[in-house]
Amino acid sequence: MHYADYKTILSPQNGMNLYRGCTHGCIYCDSRSLCYQMKHDFEDIEVKRDAPRILDEQLKRKRKRCMVGTGAMSDPYIHLEDTLQISRQCIEIIDKHGFGLAIQTKSARIMRDMDILLSISKKTKCVVQTTLTTFDESLCRIVEPNVSTTAERFAVLEAMRDAGIPTVVWLSPILPFINDSEENLRGLLDYCVRAGVRGIICFGFGVTLRDGNREYFYKKLDLHFPGVKERYVKSFGNSYVCNSPANEQLWAIYQDECARRGILFRPDDVFGYMRKFEANTRQMSLYGGPGGL
């Protein structure tokens, strides 16, 4: 772990990543890609110094409230969060200023901050997102070794449902020749239905590989799935998008099930829902009205 100085925390699109790097160990992680120009080892987490103070200053200057997103590039609930509590401090600030939150994590650590999530949801919208990759728990321990299992993430989704907090699932990646089966897809969709998710984000059934994450992924394939790397090289070469041979079949099942269950599944619809700020006007009157601070 090391600290680095930043002048801003929020991006122009109101997203934030409080850490750079990750200790979850997911074998497919796109954030390892060289295009992101990380100048330190991926597991040597870069912590943004004074992130809560900087975020507080940025939100004070906002003319209108909006949804703030976090978790796209680095999970806000990596292992360091247990002691540093930077994510907790930042969502407390989001709550204090009456902004909405769309937070993405693979960790059940988010349950620690249920009190703040509930507070945000009383004023506006709080959306909790998680990734589901494989229904098989033993396989999950291989492809996502240092993070909450699929069953544990399903329990988080259930807890959010019971608390009235909307959820979104990222159904990705589905790894060709490993978990690209109808059985796996239907198991994950059953979890989504039972948890009452608002939407599912899926861009196709496969994985994306770029310089940096491809090498790490292939190393792990050789370790855990002998012979599968050769199938990737033969099937995809150096392609960025590596779709499963069963992509069309799985996509048809996915669309049909989501439409039948009333789950948002078109990416534009799901992203539109998460980006739309929706104030609870009765509660927001306590925070200076529905305009801005």
Side-chain angles (χ1 to χ4, degrees), residues 161-193:
R161 176 202 64 203
D162 294 344
I165 296 174
T167 54
V168 165
V169 161
W170 289 71
L171 199 63
S172 64
I174 302 298
L175 304 174
F177 319 124
I178 296 174
N179 65 337
D180 55 339
S181 67
E182 179 177 342
E183 179 184 16
N184 182 58
L185 173 59
R186 291 195 180 278
L188 296 177
L189 289 176
D190 180 62
Y191 271 164
C192 292
V193 170

Short mmCIF file of all heavy atoms in Angstrom, two decimals, residues 161-193:
data_model
loop_
_atom_site.label_atom_id
_atom_site.label_comp_id
_atom_site.label_asym_id
_atom_site.label_seq_id
_atom_site.Cartn_x
_atom_site.Cartn_y
_atom_site.Cartn_z
N ARG A 161 -32.59 -6.11 -0.96
CA ARG A 161 -34.01 -6.23 -1.32
C ARG A 161 -34.89 -6.04 -0.10
O ARG A 161 -35.88 -5.28 -0.12
CB ARG A 161 -34.27 -7.61 -1.93
CG ARG A 161 -35.73 -7.93 -2.26
CD ARG A 161 -35.95 -9.42 -2.32
NE ARG A 161 -35.71 -10.05 -1.01
CZ ARG A 161 -35.39 -11.33 -0.84
NH1 ARG A 161 -35.27 -12.14 -1.88
NH2 ARG A 161 -35.20 -11.80 0.38
N ASP A 162 -34.56 -6.70 0.99
CA ASP A 162 -35.37 -6.62 2.20
C ASP A 162 -35.33 -5.22 2.81
O ASP A 162 -36.28 -4.82 3.50
CB ASP A 162 -34.87 -7.64 3.23
CG ASP A 162 -35.08 -9.08 2.78
OD1 ASP A 162 -35.87 -9.29 1.83
OD2 ASP A 162 -34.45 -9.98 3.36
N ALA A 163 -34.24 -4.47 2.54
CA ALA A 163 -34.12 -3.12 3.06
C ALA A 163 -34.73 -2.07 2.12
O ALA A 163 -34.75 -0.88 2.44
CB ALA A 163 -32.65 -2.78 3.30
N GLY A 164 -35.21 -2.52 0.95
CA GLY A 164 -35.80 -1.60 0.00
C GLY A 164 -34.79 -0.83 -0.83
O GLY A 164 -35.11 0.20 -1.42
N ILE A 165 -33.56 -1.32 -0.90
CA ILE A 165 -32.51 -0.69 -1.69
C ILE A 165 -32.39 -1.40 -3.03
O ILE A 165 -32.15 -2.61 -3.06
CB ILE A 165 -31.16 -0.72 -0.95
CG1 ILE A 165 -31.24 0.11 0.34
CG2 ILE A 165 -30.02 -0.23 -1.83
CD1 ILE A 165 -30.02 0.01 1.22
N PRO A 166 -32.57 -0.70 -4.15
CA PRO A 166 -32.53 -1.37 -5.46
C PRO A 166 -31.14 -1.88 -5.80
O PRO A 166 -30.12 -1.31 -5.38
CB PRO A 166 -32.97 -0.28 -6.44
CG PRO A 166 -32.67 1.01 -5.73
CD PRO A 166 -32.86 0.74 -4.27
N THR A 167 -31.10 -2.96 -6.58
CA THR A 167 -29.83 -3.59 -6.93
C THR A 167 -29.74 -3.82 -8.44
O THR A 167 -30.74 -3.96 -9.13
CB THR A 167 -29.65 -4.93 -6.21
OG1 THR A 167 -30.79 -5.77 -6.48
CG2 THR A 167 -29.51 -4.74 -4.71
N VAL A 168 -28.50 -3.87 -8.90
CA VAL A 168 -28.18 -4.18 -10.29
C VAL A 168 -27.06 -5.21 -10.29
O VAL A 168 -26.12 -5.10 -9.50
CB VAL A 168 -27.75 -2.91 -11.07
CG1 VAL A 168 -27.08 -3.28 -12.39
CG2 VAL A 168 -28.95 -2.00 -11.31
N VAL A 169 -27.16 -6.19 -11.16
CA VAL A 169 -26.13 -7.22 -11.29
C VAL A 169 -25.40 -7.05 -12.62
O VAL A 169 -26.02 -6.81 -13.66
CB VAL A 169 -26.76 -8.64 -11.21
CG1 VAL A 169 -25.83 -9.70 -11.80
CG2 VAL A 169 -27.08 -8.98 -9.76
N TRP A 170 -24.07 -7.14 -12.55
CA TRP A 170 -23.24 -7.22 -13.75
C TRP A 170 -23.01 -8.71 -14.03
O TRP A 170 -22.37 -9.40 -13.24
CB TRP A 170 -21.91 -6.52 -13.53
CG TRP A 170 -22.03 -5.03 -13.44
CD1 TRP A 170 -22.57 -4.30 -12.43
CD2 TRP A 170 -21.59 -4.08 -14.43
NE1 TRP A 170 -22.50 -2.97 -12.70
CE2 TRP A 170 -21.90 -2.79 -13.92
CE3 TRP A 170 -20.95 -4.19 -15.66
CZ2 TRP A 170 -21.60 -1.63 -14.63
CZ3 TRP A 170 -20.66 -3.04 -16.37
CH2 TRP A 170 -20.98 -1.77 -15.85
N LEU A 171 -23.55 -9.18 -15.12
CA LEU A 171 -23.42 -10.59 -15.49
C LEU A 171 -22.22 -10.72 -16.42
O LEU A 171 -22.35 -10.85 -17.64
CB LEU A 171 -24.71 -11.07 -16.16
CG LEU A 171 -24.94 -12.59 -16.22
CD1 LEU A 171 -25.07 -13.17 -14.83
CD2 LEU A 171 -26.19 -12.89 -17.03
N SER A 172 -21.05 -10.68 -15.82
CA SER A 172 -19.83 -10.70 -16.64
C SER A 172 -18.61 -10.85 -15.74
O SER A 172 -18.63 -10.45 -14.57
CB SER A 172 -19.70 -9.38 -17.43
OG SER A 172 -19.54 -8.28 -16.54
N PRO A 173 -17.53 -11.42 -16.30
CA PRO A 173 -17.53 -12.07 -17.62
C PRO A 173 -17.99 -13.52 -17.51
O PRO A 173 -17.90 -14.13 -16.45
CB PRO A 173 -16.06 -12.01 -18.02
CG PRO A 173 -15.33 -12.14 -16.70
CD PRO A 173 -16.18 -11.43 -15.70
N ILE A 174 -18.49 -14.02 -18.60
CA ILE A 174 -18.77 -15.45 -18.73
C ILE A 174 -17.64 -16.02 -19.56
O ILE A 174 -17.48 -15.67 -20.74
CB ILE A 174 -20.13 -15.69 -19.40
CG1 ILE A 174 -21.25 -15.01 -18.59
CG2 ILE A 174 -20.39 -17.19 -19.55
CD1 ILE A 174 -21.42 -15.54 -17.17
N LEU A 175 -16.82 -16.85 -18.96
CA LEU A 175 -15.56 -17.26 -19.57
C LEU A 175 -15.75 -18.41 -20.56
O LEU A 175 -16.20 -19.49 -20.17
CB LEU A 175 -14.57 -17.69 -18.48
CG LEU A 175 -14.29 -16.62 -17.41
CD1 LEU A 175 -13.42 -17.21 -16.31
CD2 LEU A 175 -13.66 -15.39 -18.01
N PRO A 176 -15.43 -18.21 -21.83
CA PRO A 176 -15.55 -19.29 -22.81
C PRO A 176 -14.79 -20.54 -22.36
O PRO A 176 -13.68 -20.44 -21.81
CB PRO A 176 -14.92 -18.68 -24.08
CG PRO A 176 -15.14 -17.21 -23.93
CD PRO A 176 -14.99 -16.95 -22.46
N PHE A 177 -15.42 -21.69 -22.57
CA PHE A 177 -14.85 -23.01 -22.28
C PHE A 177 -14.70 -23.28 -20.77
O PHE A 177 -14.13 -24.30 -20.38
CB PHE A 177 -13.48 -23.20 -22.97
CG PHE A 177 -13.43 -22.67 -24.37
CD1 PHE A 177 -12.47 -21.74 -24.75
CD2 PHE A 177 -14.35 -23.09 -25.33
CE1 PHE A 177 -12.41 -21.25 -26.05
CE2 PHE A 177 -14.30 -22.62 -26.63
CZ PHE A 177 -13.34 -21.68 -26.98
N ILE A 178 -15.22 -22.38 -19.93
CA ILE A 178 -15.11 -22.56 -18.49
C ILE A 178 -16.48 -22.51 -17.80
O ILE A 178 -16.88 -23.46 -17.12
CB ILE A 178 -14.16 -21.52 -17.86
CG1 ILE A 178 -12.73 -21.73 -18.39
CG2 ILE A 178 -14.16 -21.61 -16.32
CD1 ILE A 178 -11.74 -20.66 -17.94
N ASN A 179 -17.21 -21.42 -17.98
CA ASN A 179 -18.52 -21.33 -17.33
C ASN A 179 -19.61 -20.82 -18.27
O ASN A 179 -20.63 -20.29 -17.84
CB ASN A 179 -18.45 -20.43 -16.08
CG ASN A 179 -18.14 -18.98 -16.41
OD1 ASN A 179 -17.58 -18.68 -17.46
ND2 ASN A 179 -18.50 -18.08 -15.51
N ASP A 180 -19.39 -21.01 -19.57
CA ASP A 180 -20.36 -20.53 -20.57
C ASP A 180 -21.40 -21.59 -20.88
O ASP A 180 -21.63 -21.95 -22.04
CB ASP A 180 -19.64 -20.08 -21.84
CG ASP A 180 -18.74 -21.16 -22.43
OD1 ASP A 180 -18.34 -22.08 -21.69
OD2 ASP A 180 -18.42 -21.08 -23.64
N SER A 181 -22.09 -22.04 -19.84
CA SER A 181 -23.10 -23.09 -20.00
C SER A 181 -24.49 -22.54 -19.67
O SER A 181 -24.63 -21.57 -18.91
CB SER A 181 -22.80 -24.27 -19.07
OG SER A 181 -22.96 -23.89 -17.72
N GLU A 182 -25.50 -23.17 -20.22
CA GLU A 182 -26.88 -22.80 -19.91
C GLU A 182 -27.16 -23.01 -18.42
O GLU A 182 -27.86 -22.20 -17.78
CB GLU A 182 -27.86 -23.61 -20.75
CG GLU A 182 -29.31 -23.28 -20.46
CD GLU A 182 -30.29 -24.04 -21.35
OE1 GLU A 182 -29.86 -24.55 -22.40
OE2 GLU A 182 -31.48 -24.11 -20.98
N GLU A 183 -26.61 -24.07 -17.85
CA GLU A 183 -26.81 -24.34 -16.43
C GLU A 183 -26.29 -23.20 -15.57
O GLU A 183 -26.97 -22.76 -14.62
CB GLU A 183 -26.11 -25.65 -16.04
CG GLU A 183 -26.24 -26.00 -14.56
CD GLU A 183 -25.45 -27.24 -14.19
OE1 GLU A 183 -24.58 -27.66 -14.98
OE2 GLU A 183 -25.69 -27.79 -13.10
N ASN A 184 -25.10 -22.69 -15.89
CA ASN A 184 -24.54 -21.59 -15.12
C ASN A 184 -25.39 -20.34 -15.27
O ASN A 184 -25.70 -19.65 -14.28
CB ASN A 184 -23.11 -21.29 -15.59
CG ASN A 184 -22.46 -20.18 -14.79
OD1 ASN A 184 -22.34 -20.26 -13.58
ND2 ASN A 184 -22.04 -19.13 -15.48
N LEU A 185 -25.79 -20.02 -16.50
CA LEU A 185 -26.59 -18.83 -16.74
C LEU A 185 -27.92 -18.90 -15.98
O LEU A 185 -28.32 -17.94 -15.32
CB LEU A 185 -26.84 -18.65 -18.23
CG LEU A 185 -27.81 -17.52 -18.61
CD1 LEU A 185 -27.31 -16.18 -18.10
CD2 LEU A 185 -28.04 -17.50 -20.12
N ARG A 186 -28.60 -20.02 -16.07
CA ARG A 186 -29.90 -20.13 -15.41
C ARG A 186 -29.75 -20.07 -13.89
O ARG A 186 -30.63 -19.52 -13.20
CB ARG A 186 -30.62 -21.42 -15.84
CG ARG A 186 -31.08 -21.38 -17.30
CD ARG A 186 -32.09 -22.46 -17.62
NE ARG A 186 -32.52 -22.43 -19.01
CZ ARG A 186 -33.45 -21.62 -19.50
NH1 ARG A 186 -34.06 -20.76 -18.69
NH2 ARG A 186 -33.79 -21.68 -20.77
N GLY A 187 -28.67 -20.60 -13.36
CA GLY A 187 -28.44 -20.50 -11.92
C GLY A 187 -28.27 -19.06 -11.48
O GLY A 187 -28.83 -18.62 -10.47
N LEU A 188 -27.49 -18.28 -12.25
CA LEU A 188 -27.28 -16.87 -11.92
C LEU A 188 -28.56 -16.06 -12.09
O LEU A 188 -28.87 -15.19 -11.27
CB LEU A 188 -26.16 -16.30 -12.80
CG LEU A 188 -24.77 -16.90 -12.60
CD1 LEU A 188 -23.78 -16.28 -13.58
CD2 LEU A 188 -24.28 -16.72 -11.16
N LEU A 189 -29.29 -16.33 -13.15
CA LEU A 189 -30.56 -15.62 -13.36
C LEU A 189 -31.56 -15.95 -12.26
O LEU A 189 -32.33 -15.08 -11.83
CB LEU A 189 -31.14 -15.97 -14.73
CG LEU A 189 -30.40 -15.40 -15.94
CD1 LEU A 189 -31.02 -15.90 -17.24
CD2 LEU A 189 -30.40 -13.87 -15.92
N ASP A 190 -31.55 -17.17 -11.77
CA ASP A 190 -32.43 -17.54 -10.66
C ASP A 190 -32.09 -16.71 -9.42
O ASP A 190 -33.00 -16.23 -8.72
CB ASP A 190 -32.30 -19.03 -10.35
CG ASP A 190 -33.20 -19.46 -9.21
OD1 ASP A 190 -34.44 -19.34 -9.33
OD2 ASP A 190 -32.67 -19.90 -8.16
N TYR A 191 -30.82 -16.52 -9.15
CA TYR A 191 -30.40 -15.66 -8.05
C TYR A 191 -30.96 -14.24 -8.26
O TYR A 191 -31.46 -13.61 -7.32
CB TYR A 191 -28.87 -15.59 -7.97
CG TYR A 191 -28.22 -16.65 -7.12
CD1 TYR A 191 -26.85 -16.89 -7.24
CD2 TYR A 191 -28.94 -17.40 -6.19
CE1 TYR A 191 -26.21 -17.86 -6.46
CE2 TYR A 191 -28.32 -18.36 -5.40
CZ TYR A 191 -26.95 -18.59 -5.54
OH TYR A 191 -26.33 -19.53 -4.76
N CYS A 192 -30.83 -13.72 -9.47
CA CYS A 192 -31.29 -12.36 -9.76
C CYS A 192 -32.80 -12.23 -9.55
O CYS A 192 -33.28 -11.24 -8.97
CB CYS A 192 -30.93 -11.98 -11.19
SG CYS A 192 -29.16 -11.79 -11.49
N VAL A 193 -33.54 -13.21 -10.00
CA VAL A 193 -34.99 -13.19 -9.85
C VAL A 193 -35.36 -13.25 -8.37
O VAL A 193 -36.20 -12.48 -7.87
CB VAL A 193 -35.64 -14.34 -10.63
CG1 VAL A 193 -37.13 -14.47 -10.29
CG2 VAL A 193 -35.45 -14.13 -12.13
#
